Amino acid sequence: MTTKNIHEANLAEVKKISDTKADLVIRPLYYGYGNTLGNSFRRVLLSSVKGAAITAFSIEGSTHEFAAIPGIREDVVDIMLNLKNIRFKLHTDNPVELSLEMKGSDQSSEKDGEKRVVAGDIKLPADVEIANPNQLICHIDDPKFVLKMRFVVESGRGYLTIERSAEERVHSDMIAVDAVFTPVLRVRYKVENTRVGQDTNLQQLTLSIETDGTISPEDAFEEAAAILVNQFTALAGKTRLESAPAPGLTEEDEDSGLSMPIEELDLSARTANALLNNDIKTIRDLVTLSESDLKDLKGFGSKALDEVKEKLTELNI
């Protein structure tokens, strides 16, 4: 198939593995665009999605990060490393100050009488959430010791060096922390060949995204896409190109009711539910899939395939 313009990419499928993991399938893509988009998305997802982290903290009785604190098993450096693993979600763009106070004489479930202090012990205002409240901060090994800590949590993108954090810290008496803001932990992508009808010169991109729980993989993907759009739109100036119709379709097909919801096809309840459960919501979503793609759908058998083909034939699609 030959076309003057490059057709638009389509998020064809979202395979949700858990609240923090998902595979997002983009197809069909113009040949060669699998690696182009995959590499771009991976870099932006890992570097530019907005997140939040501790940028400074203080411990009563400690003046610098190399101090040992009587009453706490860990030294300040170990506590700093633990603090960097706490995953925050801020509902404000302003820095937030938090506090923690814990007595060693409280009920202890740890052996040797140690009190385990975790992220969930931090006092939180309404505009702050912690995704991993069981993250360890330290152990209090003196039953008479009272731990008092303060934290500054800020939102940002990418990585904040300890030098910049020290220069920009709200309180000069606090210990600066190099902060990793990105809420995306891992991104992998896979490029495969695919086809639509007789057109075999197409690709499919699968993005596997894992986040820290403060944002869903789908929302992280959409934010990364918006960042890329903003960057490229600024560089394109006034130049605009029309997208070609989806592969296998004519321009007339684009206006022939392809946005019709699957529910209006009058399919059997089982077939319609199988399509909807695989995130196929419109006729346009349906016709971009080949027969082999449809057969691979969860809960979609040969009878359902025959029913769909018959219905599309009735609609002259």
Side-chain angles (χ1 to χ4, degrees):
M1 172 181 152
T2 301
T3 181
K4 295 184 293 182
N5 298 322
I6 297 173
H7 61 269
E8 291 183 352
N10 179 41
L11 180 58
E13 190 176 354
V14 177
K15 301 175 181 177
K16 195 172 182 66
I17 300 171
S18 68
D19 290 339
T20 60
K21 296 180 182 180
D23 292 341
L24 291 85
V25 181
I26 303 170
R27 64 166 178 260
L29 290 171
Y30 192 79
Y31 192 80
Y33 273 43
N35 285 307
T36 300
L37 291 180
N39 191 50
S40 299
F41 268 112
R42 184 177 184 275
R43 287 178 175 271
V44 173
L45 280 163
L46 290 174
S47 69
S48 304
V49 175
K50 192 174 184 179
I54 292 175
T55 57
F57 74 100
S58 68
I59 304 175
E60 188 174 279
S62 172
T63 57
H64 58 84
E65 60 266 40
F66 303 108
I69 306 173
I72 297 180
R73 184 209 296 179
E74 295 83 357
D75 59 26
V76 177
V77 172
D78 290 330
I79 293 174
M80 181 189 296
L81 293 174
N82 290 335
L83 294 178
K84 290 168 66 174
N85 289 325
I86 301 177
R87 303 295 179 172
F88 290 91
K89 183 175 183 178
L90 293 190
H91 300 283
T92 176
D93 291 329
N94 300 319
V96 177
E97 295 188 38
L98 307 176
S99 65
L100 180 154
E101 182 172 336
M102 184 66 63
K103 297 180 181 180
S105 58
D106 287 348
Q107 183 179 359
S108 173
S109 59
E110 301 287 327
K111 69 175 184 178
D112 300 326
E114 292 184 334
K115 176 68 177 179
R116 193 170 189 267
V117 183
V118 297
D121 296 320
I122 298 174
K123 298 176 183 177
L124 300 179
D127 52 1
V128 181
E129 298 177 41
I130 293 178
N132 56 339
N134 293 321
Q135 168 62 41
L136 176 68
I137 295 177
C138 65
H139 294 87
I140 301 175
D141 56 12
D142 182 350
K144 296 181 180 180
F145 182 79
V146 178
L147 173 65
K148 294 182 179 180
M149 299 184 69
R150 292 186 298 144
F151 316 89
V152 174
V153 180
E154 300 182 56
S155 60
R157 301 180 190 274
Y159 175 72
L160 180 68
T161 64
I162 196 167
E163 290 80 13
R164 280 192 57 197
S165 181
E167 291 173 1
E168 300 172 5
R169 58 187 164 180
V170 179
H171 301 292
S172 59
D173 62 332
M174 285 190 163
I175 299 171
V177 179
D178 54 328
V180 179
F181 292 112
T182 179
V184 179
L185 302 180
R186 277 172 285 276
V187 180
R188 299 186 304 275
Y189 72 89
K190 180 173 65 174
V191 179
E192 302 169 285
N193 293 327
T194 189
R195 61 180 293 168
V196 174
Q198 300 301 314
D199 192 352
T200 59
N201 197 32
L202 299 169
Q203 290 186 325
Q204 169 179 298
L205 169 66
T206 301
L207 282 166
S208 300
I209 303 173
E210 181 180 355
T211 70
D212 63 8
T214 61
I215 188 173
S216 69
E218 299 91 328
D219 288 344
F221 170 80
E222 290 183 3
E223 184 173 336
I227 291 170
L228 288 169
V229 168
N230 289 343
Q231 294 294 306
F232 290 130
T233 299
L235 295 174
K238 297 181 180 179
T239 302
R240 295 292 182 270
L241 295 177
E242 291 185 6
S243 299
L249 304 176
T250 65
E251 292 186 12
E252 289 76 16
D253 289 332
E254 287 288 293
D255 300 318
S256 65
L258 293 178
S259 60
M260 180 189 299
I262 288 296
E263 294 91 336
E264 296 185 19
L265 277 180
D266 197 27
L267 297 167
S268 66
R270 184 172 183 176
T271 300
N273 288 335
L275 293 172
L276 292 171
N277 289 338
N278 285 280
D279 206 34
I280 299 170
K281 300 176 181 178
T282 66
I283 296 180
R284 180 178 285 105
D285 297 336
L286 181 59
V287 297
T288 58
L289 301 178
S290 65
E291 285 193 21
S292 60
D293 291 332
L294 287 171
K295 289 178 181 177
D296 290 338
L297 296 178
K298 185 177 180 180
F300 196 89
S302 57
K303 290 184 178 180
L305 177 62
D306 292 338
E307 184 181 358
V308 166
K309 289 168 64 176
E310 181 180 348
K311 186 60 64 174
L312 293 180
T313 301
E314 292 178 9
L315 297 174
N316 295 319
I317 298 177

